[in-house]
Amino acid sequence: FLGAGGGNDIQWCFSQVKGAVDDDVAEADIISTVEFNHSGELLATGDKGGRVVIFQQEQENKTQSHSRGEYNVYSTFQSHEPEFDYLKSLEIEEKINKIRWLPQKNAAQFLLSTNDKTIKLWKISERDKRPEGYNLKEEDGRYRDPTTVTTLRVPVFRPMDLMVEASPRRIFANAHTYHINSISINSDYETYLSADDLRINLWHLEITDRSFNIVDIKPANMEELTEVITAAEFHPNSCSTFVYSSSKGTIRLCDMRASALCDRHSKLFEEPEDPSNRSFFSEIISSISDVKFSHSGRYMMTRDYLSVKIWDLNMENRPVETYQVHEYLRSKLCSLYENDCIFDKFECCWNGSDRQVEFSSLCTSDLSSIVMTGSYNNFFRMFDRNTKRDITLEASRENNKPRTVLKPRKVCASGKRKKDEISVDSLDFNKKILHTAWHPKENIIAVATTNNLYIFQDKMN
Amino acid sequence: MLGKGGKRKFDEHEDGLEGKVVSPTDGPSKVSYTLQRQTIFNISLMKLYNHRPLTEPSLQKTVLINNMLRRIQEELKQEGSLRPMFVAASQPADPLSDNFREAQPAFSHLASPPLLPAELVSTMPLESCLTPASLLEDDTFCTSPAAQHDGPTKPPPPALQAAKDSFSSALDEIEELCPAPTSAEAVAADSAAGDSKAQPSESNLPKPEGLAESRTAEPKLMDPLPGNFEITASTGFLTDLTLDDILFADIDTSMYDFDPCTSATGAASKMAPVSADELLKTLAPYSSQPVTPNQPFKMDLTELDHIMEVLVGS
């Protein structure tokens, strides 16, 4: 896995990079979410300016068998606009916090996108034909004088240049007092949940004027508030089960069949604190920034500031595996607290669930065997659960030629720095990779730096 | 040729503020622990009250910072000292000696001569930020790069450290003189309670938008004369001040509606309003204008320029 090219290890190569080249980053261009659709053909990104850009994978080129199709812009639209809350005299950011795709049911594609307050269901449809030959209208749309019509004809559809249209089909608003951090579509494909800092609501995709509150952790006296909800997700197979994580490092699993308001969890996942690692920042770094179920639903993965943990849903008292993402930051927590980096919310993702992991699946009974997450200095990390090997790669325009295998990076925590290693003090903490996504079926990954989207794929031979 | 001397303490505490928490019970490391705690406390306060975003601040961040403050405060309470430490450098006739006794031993380390590890000496400015400009120049913290503990981020110039703390030491100073047991809580609660009876004098106190701005804003408000500290530290007139009056005059309170520290009733005991004179006296150190004619410690403008040069320029 460490680029040695042995056996079934994946060798990652640079494929494409999208976005502006200049170092001066426009605030609106900051990427805030990345998500593949269920087939992997479409890749959506949301940014701070409220825009959604969807890339589509080219059909595989028969002549170029050594690379998979490239992703090109398919559709761009303004999903959310900035709003003003007059009651509180505050702006509501248009930044897209999350995008989730619905599985495809017909020719059109549907996705949910959300900012801090409002969720929208967008329909993305193609138009490649248009009717021509109207009787009362000219081709350019001007109306004809009816008295000039002497014959009648039936309009016919003729091909036209492909046009991709995005239209908002549902707007789910006014259900969240606090900032929405997660949306998750249920396995019934009819309902979905949205979670803010203190509450989780259940929606039906068809109904916008009503939503059911299923979790509420707001205390009667706000002064007593010490914990907030940080992420939530539905179980991939069980439509009545969901989990939510908190700022204190706990995950609660709830069953909606138990009661209408799931204030009492069915399971509470929490790892006891390691006393040798106690510091002022223990609580802050334990805050979970992302939670993702494995494909089978037997495991879930959580990301806190320094590590990724894999939990077996059958064991609540500790994770089954823990992977250190950037342990060398542990001695820098005070500075990271001061410059707010300690509050960065890194996401994590599983590998895709198809044939390339069949070797791994012999070892575990779960197809989810590799986890990926971001770090600083535009580094991102992958951990192979089976081989227990890990790798650090960098998303940068330098030294990235197509089909050249990415060079593994190494951070030197202390002591003598070897050649090609980077010392902790040289890391650029403004270059953070918070959002990554893995193609559901192939070894293609999308990695978002501040304002660029990198696509890497494995070396095909 | 280096001798085989004993390992310098500096190496042990190299991480200083950054490293794992040192046990609060061992000797000199107790100072480093309390120093670390103090710094984190100050940083936390700055984060909560300096941020004036156009959008609602992140509730998660606010809650985590608030928890941090509460935890430190609990610790302080348990240790018996209710106030964050501040300079006790030269306070012979300390009127609040009861409460200072706790802090004094800790500081005696700092006051003692050069046998101290370089790191401890160099962190002194964090506490004694109201030192005369002339001392600042001689200060090892300013001149020794080894004293910079900050890791990955560009370390702020020593002046910035000192400048930031002038605000927090102002808070400290006022807190320690308020009889409310949970002084830090009071600060938190009062600021968020949106108490509109706060005086306009708040504008004299720094409310920087960001670190960069605080660098320029703060020096104006730094008092170069240590003597002032004595005056303001004396008993009497400050005890019946409300924190709101001094500090949180014109905060836009709509932002704090969902602040977990919001206290409708107020955790701190409300103190009687103070007369304008008394207020002015306390504000003298933080104002660049002469407050009253009999105020003996007017800010000298040339000295002010000098300070600004030292802190901002170099």
Side-chain angles (χ1 to χ4, degrees):
Chain A
F1 206 55
L2 291 167
N8 291 281
D9 287 348
I10 303 174
Q11 293 185 286
W12 293 103
C13 305
F14 171 81
S15 174
Q16 299 169 267
V17 58
K18 307 282 186 194
V21 186
D22 29 280
D23 287 334
D24 213 9
V25 180
E27 184 101 353
D29 291 340
I30 295 174
I31 298 172
S32 49
T33 185
V34 181
E35 188 83 357
F36 280 99
N37 76 336
H38 291 255
S39 66
E41 186 204 353
L42 298 176
L43 174 60
T45 62
D47 64 25
K48 207 159 177 214
R51 289 166 303 197
V52 170
V53 179
I54 303 177
F55 301 92
Q56 183 189 40
Q57 191 179 27
E58 267 174 12
Q59 293 308 309
E60 270 184 40
N61 199 324
K62 300 291 183 278
T63 59
Q64 291 201 306
S65 58
H66 52 255
S67 73
R68 297 185 178 85
E70 280 200 343
Y71 283 84
N72 300 313
V73 177
Y74 177 67
S75 171
T76 304
F77 58 93
Q78 187 75 32
S79 171
H80 287 72
E81 300 274 4
E83 286 172 54
F84 196 77
D85 182 338
Y86 293 98
L87 216 53
K88 294 190 223 158
S89 273
L90 290 170
E91 275 182 23
I92 298 172
E93 268 195 298
E94 66 274 31
K95 172 169 72 88
I96 308 294
N97 293 336
K98 284 278 154 47
I99 288 174
R100 289 286 183 264
W101 289 93
L102 264 70
Q104 192 173 12
K105 286 194 285 194
N106 50 37
Q109 301 277 355
F110 287 86
L111 60 78
L112 284 175
S113 72
T114 185
N115 70 347
D116 284 338
K117 298 285 186 183
T118 306
I119 307 130
K120 296 189 185 181
L121 176 69
W122 287 89
K123 175 180 177 182
I124 297 109
S125 48
E126 292 183 1
R127 191 196 292 266
D128 61 355
K129 292 183 265 289
R130 66 155 189 250
E132 287 177 19
Y134 283 102
N135 293 289
L136 295 174
K137 269 196 301 194
E138 302 286 357
E139 293 307 325
D140 58 10
R142 279 180 307 146
Y143 281 95
R144 288 163 82 180
D145 179 357
T147 56
T148 64
V149 177
T150 53
T151 60
L152 285 180
R153 55 189 176 165
V154 177
V156 292
F157 274 100
R158 296 221 193 274
M160 62 178 253
D161 289 338
L162 178 67
M163 210 169 71
V164 182
E165 299 170 322
S167 61
R169 306 304 286 175
R170 305 270 186 277
I171 297 182
F172 305 91
N174 302 321
H176 286 280
T177 310
Y178 303 99
H179 292 179
I180 297 174
N181 51 57
S182 313
I183 46 176
S184 175
I185 299 174
N186 205 346
S187 47
D188 63 9
Y189 300 140
E190 283 185 356
T191 56
Y192 75 94
L193 64 75
S194 58
D196 67 29
D197 295 310
L198 298 179
R199 298 193 178 103
I200 302 180
N201 293 336
L202 181 70
W203 302 84
H204 191 284
L205 283 164
E206 299 291 326
I207 300 167
T208 59
D209 61 355
R210 230 176 312 148
S211 91
F212 293 98
N213 177 242
I214 51 178
V215 173
D216 188 340
I217 64 167
K218 182 179 177 191
N221 182 1
M222 279 296 270
E223 263 189 72
E224 293 163 5
L225 180 66
T226 57
E227 191 174 6
V228 299
I229 297 171
T230 53
E233 193 177 59
F234 264 118
H235 190 277
N237 305 322
S238 166
C239 58
S240 53
T241 308
F242 66 94
V243 293
Y244 68 93
S245 59
S246 83
S247 56
K248 283 196 173 167
T250 64
I251 308 107
R252 286 172 175 78
L253 185 140
C254 300
D255 190 326
M256 296 194 291
R257 295 167 297 190
S259 70
L261 186 63
C262 301
D263 269 356
R264 284 206 310 222
H265 51 264
S266 301
K267 291 195 190 214
L268 174 67
F269 299 84
E270 187 172 15
E271 181 173 29
E273 196 184 0
D274 176 4
S276 66
N277 270 339
R278 265 202 79 236
S279 81
F280 285 110
F281 308 102
S282 292
E283 189 196 13
I284 297 181
I285 62 169
S286 75
S287 176
I288 292 172
S289 50
D290 196 13
V291 63
K292 293 263 167 56
F293 275 106
S294 70
H295 299 290
S296 64
R298 181 173 160 199
Y299 298 98
M300 67 179 172
M301 155 165 66
T302 58
R303 175 74 156 96
D304 51 71
Y305 189 62
L306 296 179
S307 67
V308 168
K309 294 180 181 173
I310 314 283
W311 302 80
D312 184 325
L313 255 52
N314 297 317
M315 185 158 75
E316 296 168 60
N317 58 358
R318 60 175 174 81
V320 290
E321 291 150 40
T322 301
Y323 300 101
Q324 299 302 334
V325 181
H326 36 219
E327 180 72 9
Y328 46 78
L329 295 183
R330 195 179 286 274
S331 59
K332 310 287 177 194
L333 292 178
C334 196
S335 300
L336 295 166
Y337 179 62
E338 200 178 342
N339 65 16
D340 276 356
C341 281
I342 209 174
F343 298 107
D344 286 336
K345 297 194 193 158
F346 291 96
E347 290 173 11
C348 53
C349 69
W350 296 96
N351 60 305
S353 63
D354 217 280
R355 50 179 168 49
Q356 83 282 3
V357 293
E358 51 191 309
F359 172 72
S360 305
S361 69
L362 292 175
C363 309
T364 66
S365 55
D366 199 290
L367 292 174
S368 298
S369 58
I370 308 177
V371 307
M372 170 166 65
T373 189
S375 178
Y376 294 104
N377 211 68
N378 282 349
F379 288 171
F380 58 100
R381 305 260 283 134
M382 293 199 208
F383 302 91
D384 188 318
R385 295 177 66 198
N386 297 313
T387 63
K388 297 299 180 210
R389 289 208 289 264
D390 62 87
I391 192 170
T392 305
L393 298 171
E394 182 179 3
S396 94
R397 285 177 189 268
E398 304 164 4
N399 310 322
N400 272 328
K401 289 187 297 203
R403 295 192 301 283
T404 317
V405 177
L406 290 180
K407 194 171 98 156
R409 314 299 263 158
K410 190 140 166 60
V411 178
C412 160
S414 59
K416 259 188 100 63
R417 188 177 74 87
K418 300 197 192 82
K419 180 170 108 81
D420 284 351
E421 282 185 359
I422 297 185
S423 79
V424 186
D425 299 316
S426 317
L427 294 174
D428 188 341
F429 286 79
N430 291 320
K431 294 190 179 170
K432 44 193 99 173
I433 291 180
L434 302 173
H435 313 286
T436 59
W438 200 309
H439 190 291
K441 300 193 196 319
E442 302 180 28
N443 280 342
I444 301 175
I445 54 176
V447 173
T449 59
T450 309
N451 65 334
N452 283 4
L453 183 72
Y454 286 79
I455 298 173
F456 302 101
Q457 33 179 280
D458 70 353
K459 193 180 174 81
M460 289 171 81
N461 289 309
Chain B
M1 173 70 178
L2 291 173
K4 282 193 204 169
K7 193 173 178 207
R8 286 193 67 214
K9 263 187 185 162
F10 179 72
D11 292 330
E12 271 175 21
H13 297 295
E14 206 165 44
D15 281 327
L17 293 167
E18 301 285 5
K20 272 192 260 183
V21 164
V22 189
S23 158
T25 52
D26 13 302
S29 357
K30 175 177 182 167
V31 186
S32 140
Y33 173 85
T34 42
L35 218 53
Q36 185 182 19
R37 183 175 59 192
Q38 176 67 53
T39 309
I40 294 171
F41 188 85
N42 294 344
I43 294 172
S44 306
L45 280 177
M46 298 284 289
K47 283 187 186 300
L48 278 182
Y49 302 117
N50 286 351
H51 193 41
R52 298 279 300 259
L54 296 165
T55 55
E56 222 166 327
S58 154
L59 186 63
Q60 180 196 0
K61 197 165 141 184
T62 308
V63 165
L64 288 170
I65 298 171
N66 204 44
N67 289 351
M68 175 81 87
L69 285 169
R70 278 187 194 159
R71 225 176 298 126
I72 293 178
Q73 204 196 308
E74 275 306 309
E75 246 180 54
L76 291 172
K77 243 172 32 178
Q78 278 168 15
E79 286 177 8
S81 116
L82 299 177
R83 297 137 177 100
M85 300 189 304
F86 62 103
V87 173
S90 55
Q91 305 240 359
D94 193 340
L96 299 169
S97 52
D98 281 359
N99 300 306
F100 272 106
R101 258 177 227 132
E102 201 82 31
Q104 291 278 10
F107 279 102
S108 60
H109 285 276
L110 295 177
S112 71
L115 292 173
L116 277 176
E119 171 237 333
L120 282 180
V121 171
S122 66
T123 52
M124 180 158 63
L126 283 176
E127 305 298 333
S128 53
C129 52
L130 300 185
T131 47
S134 51
L135 274 190
L136 280 173
E137 281 179 307
D138 297 340
D139 199 295
T140 53
F141 190 87
C142 296
T143 55
S144 119
Q148 308 271 354
H149 298 296
D150 297 341
T153 54
K154 294 288 164 251
L160 178 59
Q161 289 284 352
K164 273 187 344 197
D165 280 291
S166 76
F167 175 56
S168 21
S169 76
L171 270 178
D172 298 347
E173 184 192 22
I174 287 157
E175 276 173 34
E176 65 91 17
L177 287 157
C178 292
T182 57
S183 52
E185 231 170 42
V187 168
D190 289 344
S191 75
D195 205 325
S196 56
K197 68 176 162 74
Q199 310 282 323
S201 52
E202 193 273 336
S203 58
N204 288 331
L205 289 173
K207 275 175 50 90
E209 289 305 317
L211 287 182
E213 285 157 77
S214 74
R215 211 175 296 180
T216 48
E218 299 280 3
K220 276 204 282 275
L221 306 153
M222 276 191 41
D223 184 355
L225 306 166
N228 245 3
F229 224 96
E230 266 173 299
I231 289 285
T232 53
S234 60
T235 46
F237 60 89
L238 274 183
T239 53
D240 45 2
L241 275 173
T242 51
L243 283 173
D244 310 72
D245 297 336
I246 298 169
L247 296 172
F248 305 114
D250 57 352
I251 278 192
D252 174 11
T253 57
S254 59
M255 226 190 303
Y256 293 101
D257 283 352
F258 294 114
D259 192 321
C261 339
T262 296
S263 156
T265 54
S269 50
K270 293 288 182 212
M271 294 160 270
V274 73
S275 79
D277 271 350
E278 292 163 351
L279 251 186
L280 288 177
K281 277 193 210 164
T282 52
L283 291 169
Y286 312 110
S287 159
S288 54
Q289 305 137 24
V291 191
T292 57
N294 57 0
Q295 177 53 256
F297 299 101
K298 279 189 332 196
M299 186 75 87
D300 188 315
L301 283 176
T302 53
E303 210 161 39
L304 175 60
D305 284 339
H306 185 52
I307 295 166
M308 285 199 66
E309 253 173 26
V310 169
L311 295 171
V312 179
S314 45

